[in-house]
Amino acid sequence: MADQDPRYISVTPMKNEGPFVLEWVAHNRAIGIDQMVVMTNDCTDGTDVLLQRLDEKGVLTHIDNNSRRKTSPQKRAYNTFLKMEVARPQDWVVVIDADEHINIKTGDHTLRALTDAIPDAKTISMTWRLFGNAGVVRYEDRFLSDQFRQAAPEKIYRPPQAWGFKTMFQREIWDGLGVHRPKKPAVETIEECHWYNGSGQLMPERYYEKSWRSARDSVGYDFVQVNHYALKSCESYLVKKMRGRAHHLGESLGLEYWNMMNQNAETNTSIDVVLDRKRGFYYEMLSDPEVARLHHASCDLHRQQIGQLRDLPEMQDLMQQMTAGFTASQQA
């Protein structure tokens, strides 16, 4: 890579995602992210220790984002990233969460192929495809992309979250980070943002000011989508409920969120195009004995938490509600 070639950098606040870290890291490497900056806070499941080991191995950059102040971990992470000055003006930056896998459908299925497909772009919004539970009750230490292959259709107008997006941008264009889109434009007009959707179409002018989701005149999936695995198995959802939502301090999860995000209308396996590359990176990381030990310890703790939670009456009620329409074999 020439010195002036853009790099692709991801920024991720993270808490208690231990069992799912290695697949997510492997996927990000498979799509060509050059540097992952992961900032952890308040971890109790070994996520931070595993990421620190990956940092020591040169796989990613791990930052301790703990604080005694009652401030948003996300805002702390974003501010820390900007102060680090990791990204050069020409570099691409994307805020991506641990349950989001960018799924590129053009060229060699890397981020570079995506920006090559939209050569005028300096900002690209990538719309979610919500992947539902697919009737999976039990937690298993397997790739999410192998287990959860049912998703919302491309044309879905409700819930609003179905068309939420994540935005990748060149650092010189924006001075602030946000969960779904950058903030504080360093330019005066949307034309100067060179802002495109996932089909290579220009975004409407209103996005310069605000909005976190696609609409009928701005949605596009031709080149890229973001597979959003918000629920996973019923058992893992119990652990997620205990943890709370990543970007909503103090907000409880329950059946309403489950029903909203549990979209299973279509089979979508398009992400499999990078499966071989992902497996290669995954097993390369697991070949380190300490990474393997930490990964398996986190998975074991996840199973222990599930066992404890399933004994609670509140969680038993939620489990019964989530699995009400499942077959006997699914519930076994």
Side-chain angles (χ1 to χ4, degrees):
M1 181 187 298
D3 289 343
Q4 295 307 310
D5 286 347
R7 298 169 69 242
Y8 297 83
I9 302 168
S10 63
V11 186
T12 304
M14 191 179 292
K15 174 185 175 181
N16 287 351
E17 296 283 358
F20 313 106
V21 164
L22 287 190
E23 179 191 1
W24 178 81
V25 171
H27 177 79
N28 286 343
R29 296 176 74 185
I31 63 169
I33 291 181
D34 296 302
Q35 183 173 3
M36 285 169 268
V37 181
V38 187
M39 307 191 187
T40 56
N41 63 280
D42 305 301
C43 292
T44 57
D45 72 343
T47 296
D48 50 351
V49 184
L50 174 57
L51 288 166
Q52 186 58 36
R53 178 59 178 173
L54 294 174
D55 183 306
E56 293 166 2
K57 299 291 290 183
V59 174
L60 49 75
T61 301
H62 172 238
I63 304 293
D64 182 345
N65 190 36
N66 287 300
S67 175
R68 294 181 179 179
R69 298 180 180 179
K70 292 185 178 180
T71 55
S72 164
Q74 287 71 36
K75 290 181 180 179
R76 291 201 307 268
Y78 300 158
N79 290 335
T80 298
F81 174 80
L82 294 173
K83 291 176 183 177
M84 291 169 64
E85 298 185 348
V86 171
R88 302 167 301 170
Q90 71 269 32
D91 290 338
W92 289 87
V93 176
V94 61
V95 173
I96 197 78
D97 291 334
D99 58 2
E100 297 168 336
H101 293 200
I102 300 172
N103 179 0
I104 300 154
K105 308 175 186 179
T106 186
D108 64 357
H109 311 286
T110 62
L111 292 174
R112 194 170 303 279
L114 175 61
T115 55
D116 285 348
I118 317 174
D120 189 51
K122 295 186 177 181
T123 310
I124 302 173
S125 284
M126 307 172 286
T127 306
W128 277 343
R129 288 289 293 276
L130 301 184
F131 277 70
N133 163 263
V136 178
V137 175
R138 303 290 183 182
Y139 161 72
E140 294 184 54
D141 180 18
R142 294 171 50 211
F143 282 175
L144 299 179
S145 61
D146 289 344
Q147 297 180 76
F148 306 104
R149 301 166 79 79
Q150 301 301 120
E154 289 189 0
K155 291 185 178 180
I156 177 172
Y157 308 122
R158 293 287 185 274
Q161 288 79 1
W163 276 354
F165 59 50
K166 305 307 289 263
T167 305
M168 186 171 71
F169 61 95
Q170 287 191 298
R171 178 67 181 86
E172 64 183 344
I173 303 298
W174 300 87
D175 288 333
L177 302 183
V179 175
H180 294 277
R181 50 160 300 155
K183 300 179 179 181
K184 300 179 182 178
V187 293
E188 299 296 327
T189 66
I190 193 168
E191 287 79 14
E192 294 171 278
C193 296
H194 297 262
W195 196 338
Y196 290 80
N197 71 2
S199 291
Q201 300 162 337
L202 282 167
M203 295 287 279
E205 186 173 357
R206 66 181 181 276
Y207 284 90
Y208 181 77
E209 296 289 340
K210 60 182 180 179
S211 194
W212 58 273
R213 64 183 298 272
S214 298
R216 299 187 192 202
D217 63 346
S218 63
V219 68
Y221 286 113
D222 291 349
F223 295 148
V224 63
Q225 67 185 37
V226 176
N227 288 21
H228 191 191
Y229 303 104
L231 301 181
K232 307 180 183 72
S233 69
C234 295
E235 289 187 333
S236 290
Y237 187 71
L238 300 182
V239 179
K240 179 169 182 169
K241 175 178 172 57
M242 177 185 68
R243 183 198 70 185
R245 293 184 66 184
H247 300 298
H248 302 262
L249 291 175
E251 184 173 329
S252 179
L253 289 165
L255 190 64
E256 182 179 359
Y257 182 83
W258 172 271
N259 288 335
M260 177 177 67
M261 303 299 278
N262 192 20
Q263 303 290 331
N264 300 283
E266 297 181 1
T267 299
N268 187 281
T269 61
S270 55
I271 203 166
D272 287 352
V273 292
V274 298
L275 182 58
D276 287 344
R277 290 203 299 256
K278 181 170 77 170
R279 281 180 179 150
F281 287 120
Y282 181 83
Y283 288 110
E284 176 187 300
M285 289 185 288
L286 268 184
S287 68
D288 176 68
E290 183 64 5
V291 168
R293 184 188 72 80
L294 292 169
H295 169 72
H296 293 307
S298 186
C299 294
D300 288 343
L301 181 58
H302 194 69
R303 295 185 186 98
Q304 292 174 21
Q305 291 174 324
I306 288 167
Q308 294 166 357
L309 290 169
R310 292 200 69 161
D311 286 338
L312 300 177
E314 175 192 1
M315 296 298 189
Q316 290 172 358
D317 290 344
L318 178 59
M319 180 66 78
Q320 186 175 16
Q321 292 169 326
M322 288 190 295
T323 60
F326 290 8
T327 64
S329 61
Q330 286 173 319
Q331 296 187 47

